[in-house]
């Protein structure tokens, strides 16, 4: 069940510190605050945030060049997982992709992250290949997945 009052909004520069905290709580090798701030330096970056009240509880990022893009991050605070928030974020970013005429999206996902893989498959991402030893802490392969429109 979704949190009451959940809102999806486009990320702003002032959101970066909260987004970085969500990232830190979800990943063993998180992006820095500066990395999120730097996303505003480039056209084609699209980041959405999930809000519960005045708190960011999740986000998704996509970097696009022309008709192709990469999903860079998908994160939901651990206490809000299994409520459909990540699914909603993926759906919303795919709507952004369609709006901007993006026809192909790639992403990497830990090969062991079966829940995330199922989520991406729900939105018609399919397995392309494996990147050996892509992730650190722990070292693990990444499945490369692709969505096309």
């Amino acid at each position: 069940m979704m949190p009451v009052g959940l809102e999806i909004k486009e990320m702003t520069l002032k959101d970066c510190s909260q987004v970085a905290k969500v990232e830190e709580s979800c990943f063993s090798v998180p992006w820095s605050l500066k990395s999120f701030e730097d996303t505003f330096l480039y056209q084609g970056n699209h980041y959405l945030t999930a809000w519960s009240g005045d708190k960011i509880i999740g986000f998704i990022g996509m970097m696009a060049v022309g008709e192709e893009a990469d999903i860079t991050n998908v994160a939901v605070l651990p206490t809000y997982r299994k409520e459909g928030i990540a699914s909603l974020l993926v759906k919303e970013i795919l709507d952004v992709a369609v709006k901007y005429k993006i026809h192909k999206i790639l992403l990497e996902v830990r090969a062991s992250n079966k829940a995330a893989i199922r989520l991406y498959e729900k939105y018609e991402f399919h397995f392309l290949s494996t990147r050996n030893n892509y992730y650190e802490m722990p070292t693990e392969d990444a499945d490369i997945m692709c969505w096309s429109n």
Side-chain angles (χ1 to χ4, degrees):
M1 189 164 127
M2 295 262 188
V4 175
L6 180 76
E7 288 186 84
I8 304 296
K9 301 178 186 177
E10 201 169 310
M11 186 173 87
T12 67
L13 188 58
K14 69 178 182 154
D15 298 334
C16 289
S17 61
Q18 279 196 69
V19 167
K21 287 179 182 165
V22 172
E23 173 91 354
E24 287 173 18
S25 75
C26 295
F27 298 106
S28 58
V29 184
W31 282 24
S32 67
L33 172 59
K34 183 174 182 340
S35 294
F36 286 108
E37 292 170 343
D38 287 351
T39 65
F40 289 91
L41 299 174
Y42 306 100
Q43 282 189 323
N45 289 342
H46 306 277
Y47 281 74
L48 302 175
T49 51
W51 291 78
S52 180
D54 62 354
K55 179 180 177 181
I56 294 175
I57 60 171
F59 72 95
I60 190 168
M62 179 175 69
M63 300 172 83
V65 177
E67 295 181 354
E68 294 188 9
D70 291 297
I71 290 184
T72 57
N73 328 58
V74 181
V76 174
L77 287 173
T79 55
Y80 290 91
R81 290 187 185 154
K82 298 186 186 216
E83 296 183 23
I85 298 165
S87 183
L88 182 59
L89 286 165
V90 171
K91 179 195 171 303
E92 292 290 325
I93 207 73
L94 292 177
D95 289 346
V96 170
V98 169
K99 176 182 174 184
Y100 286 96
K101 298 179 176 38
I102 295 166
H103 296 288
K104 181 179 179 182
I105 302 174
L106 298 172
L107 61 80
E108 294 91 8
V109 59
R110 281 186 183 270
S112 66
N113 192 344
K114 301 305 181 196
I117 291 168
R118 281 191 304 274
L119 169 64
Y120 300 134
E121 288 173 341
K122 172 182 171 182
Y123 288 99
E124 300 182 1
F125 282 81
H126 62 274
F127 175 82
L128 275 184
S129 64
T130 299
R131 283 205 174 120
N132 294 323
N133 302 317
Y134 180 77
Y135 290 104
E136 299 174 0
M137 298 173 53
T139 300
E140 186 173 350
D141 295 346
D143 285 354
I144 301 172
M145 299 184 78
C146 180
W147 172 90
S148 52
N149 176 18

